[in-house]
Amino acid sequence: MMKKLLSVVGLLSLLNLSVPAQYRVPLEVQDIATLVTVNPAVPNQTIVVKDALRGGIFQKVTNQTSTNSGVKFASATAGYSWQRIFSGPLDVQWFGATGNGTDNDTAAIQAALTAAATTKGNRVGFPPGEYLANIVITNPVVIEGSFGVLDTGNTNRIRPWDGTVPTLEVKSGGVILRNLRLYGTDRNGVLAGTALKLTGGVGVAASEQNLFEGVVFHRYNGKMVHVETGGAGNSTRMPSAGDPPP
């Protein structure tokens, strides 16, 4: 990824030389806070943000946004915003999740899920890390974890921030979960009761099946999967005997 960013920076450097000096802007900045202060006169200006978690390639667009969504940030100058250029799933770290096993990542993950509802593909990705959160899914979405794909050991998982409520609750049909490890010890070291709660949702058609593939549960002191009567139909693939131990 870094090689690609450096290649882009090199190309942008050549383009920037053709712009009068008084209109030139930084081709790369350290973080989002610096990005939103840049005021380029060049239409469609592109800048690389180097921040390890929220960085990427951003382009100036003329429509102003009122909120910072992880994929679009309002400029300090009225009239335009900075739009993230990307392909693939929305990265929860773009929305502020740290995956450091200490911070409460719930709000950031919920923001990513909200954005996915209006993003082509409806995909959200979890890079390797340990995320503390209680997640509620209310719209069709594909959530892709790194467990078993980019696994780096016991730290690559989702743990409940609050063990008294489900780690992940699904209130919608059309939800696909892949390669997620739900680990039941909350931030206080207490074993949680429920890993995954399925409640369906109002108006969800029975044909909107949910699929859970490569989802692994460890160390829950109760119902690992809780299905309420009246919820959406679910097609579930449970861990096999060949899955790695906790």
Side-chain angles (χ1 to χ4, degrees), residues 168-244:
L168 198 157
E169 183 172 2
V170 177
K171 293 185 174 183
S172 172
V175 174
I176 299 175
L177 308 179
R178 288 197 177 106
N179 304 317
L180 292 176
R181 185 185 192 199
L182 305 183
Y183 195 87
T185 306
D186 73 8
R187 72 186 190 280
N188 296 316
V190 178
L191 293 182
T194 302
L196 179 63
K197 183 178 181 180
L198 310 175
T199 58
V202 177
V204 173
S207 60
E208 284 191 281
Q209 300 293 304
N210 295 324
L211 172 63
F212 309 129
E213 183 177 33
V215 180
V216 179
F217 312 99
H218 290 309
R219 296 184 63 82
Y220 281 88
N221 188 28
K223 298 178 180 178
M224 288 195 294
V225 179
H226 178 188
V227 181
E228 287 195 354
T229 303
N234 295 281
S235 173
T236 306
R237 182 177 299 178
M238 300 299 291
S240 69
D243 284 322

Side-chain angles (χ1 to χ4, degrees), residues 1-11 48 57:
M1 180 63 180
M2 184 56 66
K3 289 183 179 179
K4 291 182 179 179
L5 289 179
L6 291 176
S7 299
V8 171
V9 170
L11 176 60
V48 173
I57 303 172

